[in-house]
Amino acid sequence: MKIDNYAIADAPRLGVKGWGRWMWRQVTSMRVALILLLLLALASIPGSVLPQWPQNAANTRAFIEQNGWWGRFLDATGFLDVFGSAWFTAIYVLLFASLIGCILPRVRVYWRNLRSPVPPVPARLDRYENRDEAETADVAAAFESARSHLIRRPASSLLGWRVRVDERPSRQEGVETELALSANGEGLRELGNLIFHLSLVGILAAVAVGSLLTYRGQAIIVEGDSFTNSVVDYDSFSSGNLFRESSLEPFRLTLDELDAAFNVQGLAEDFTAHVTLQEPETDPVSTQIQVNRPLQVDGGKIYLQGNGYAPEITVVDSDGNVAFSDAVPYLPQDGVYTSTGVVKVPDVTSGEQLGFLATLLPTAADNGETLVSAHPDLANPMMLLRGYSGDLGLDTGIPQNVYVLDESQLSPMRDEAGNVWSVALVPGQTVELPDGLGTFTWNDTPRYGAFDLRADPSLPWLLAASIGALVGLALSLFAPRRRLWLVAPLTPAAGGETTVVRAAIMAPAHDAGAVDEMRRVLDAATGRVRRVEEE
């Protein structure tokens, strides 16, 4: 190819291998790693703002219905399951590859530095600020003493000094050869860098493995009831892609009693769940679970995350059959445990399905305008109840939130005067439902505990890698960086009986102990016959 009279060589083609190498270098650059880290943070924002399928399917479904095409678009593009979407996974994987690609080359560099030979003594020591001299009658013995002293003395490091002694031509007039001792005390710093970067790789690997193998489940257990560690018994359950349900340890947990202590003002003082743990091939064990004091089980820990009241309800339909009989957990709405609950009665032998909205007041009191709860304890319990009849919408196959009553196909019950039926109950009371729909009975009020089981097999490895990273970082920042040199002619000067040993040390300006270290080495080598002060 020619332009005017100048020839220009054709640029070589990169090819597949060349393009692959170029792309890998771009991905593993620190600039791209920082960009990917920023993208990951930005991509996480929709996961905390928008409803997500894994966390709350009912809210997510309602969000889609309320927002029309916009909701369907967000669902189709993965914004309603951000952390499981393909684009978030791509950013995550690229970030891991970039960080590992940035770290591993540095690991090789620090390993080579750690294993590299000790550099020889510089040709001139007079250019270094920290110098000293002493005389000795036996140069070879002095250098051997210095070497032994350095090897025994760790120089505040675990690796100690690395020492080499050479014979080299001398620049002094009348001296042919001289002994030169070079000691490198930077090994601990290099070891710290190596540990730090290897630990970073360990942290990334532990996080990746943990995200694939971890699982977490939440379950509500009423006093006297039991829970078996199986996916079907959890109220909500999430796990990594490589987790297998068959790996769950089939233990059984029974909530015997839940103690809740409140002071006079109604502030919580203590929550204790008295439980019985039955593990395979072992005897039942009675133990306790408290806030921030989880129960250790095989592969995970069980935390006490919450508690409340679960009134025992019995509903009899119009034919006199028991259509519902169970304890229903109510959700506390404030610090005095004003709790709301939903009772759904689909199994009515004749007539329409029944639904109830209830508010529990543990210590009911009249504030002059309405009934409120004055204390979390059951000092004066009262339940405010409102009933509905119709279709609960449970036959559509779409899961529903057990704490929400879908009123779209329900009609409120009405009394003889045509007003919306509502009633206040006390424990043990039975009320007749309007229009002969049956009866509603509040039997008792046990407590329930909300438990959270978390299992992550990578946590011990993550902890070890994190500690390693901190130790490595501390060593790389605070380990001394010193290089020490000794030089002396092999033979005494003409007409003299002693030989001058010159010493110098190189260290950062903030290392106040470097000069003392040099002088200790010089004293050990020569016995310090005399010291020549610096001019």
Side-chain angles (χ1 to χ4, degrees), residues 88 91 208 236 278 287 320 362 390 401 422 432 527:
F88 187 88
I91 298 174
S236 61
Q278 172 70 68
T287 184
N401 189 337
S422 62
E432 297 284 341

Side-chain angles (χ1 to χ4, degrees), residues 136-148:
T136 182
D138 189 340
V139 174
F143 272 62
E144 180 60 28
S145 297
R147 192 182 72 84
S148 300

Side-chain angles (χ1 to χ4, degrees), residues 234-246:
Y234 283 104
D235 296 308
S236 61
F237 187 86
S238 59
S239 63
N241 293 332
L242 297 183
F243 172 77
R244 296 293 178 265
E245 296 181 7
S246 58

Side-chain angles (χ1 to χ4, degrees), residues 420-451:
V420 174
W421 178 80
S422 62
V423 66
L425 291 84
V426 295
Q429 183 179 356
T430 299
V431 295
E432 297 284 341
L433 301 178
D435 301 326
L437 293 176
T439 62
F440 184 102
T441 303
W442 178 11
N443 301 305
D444 198 3
T445 317
R447 287 184 177 272
Y448 70 83
F451 297 92

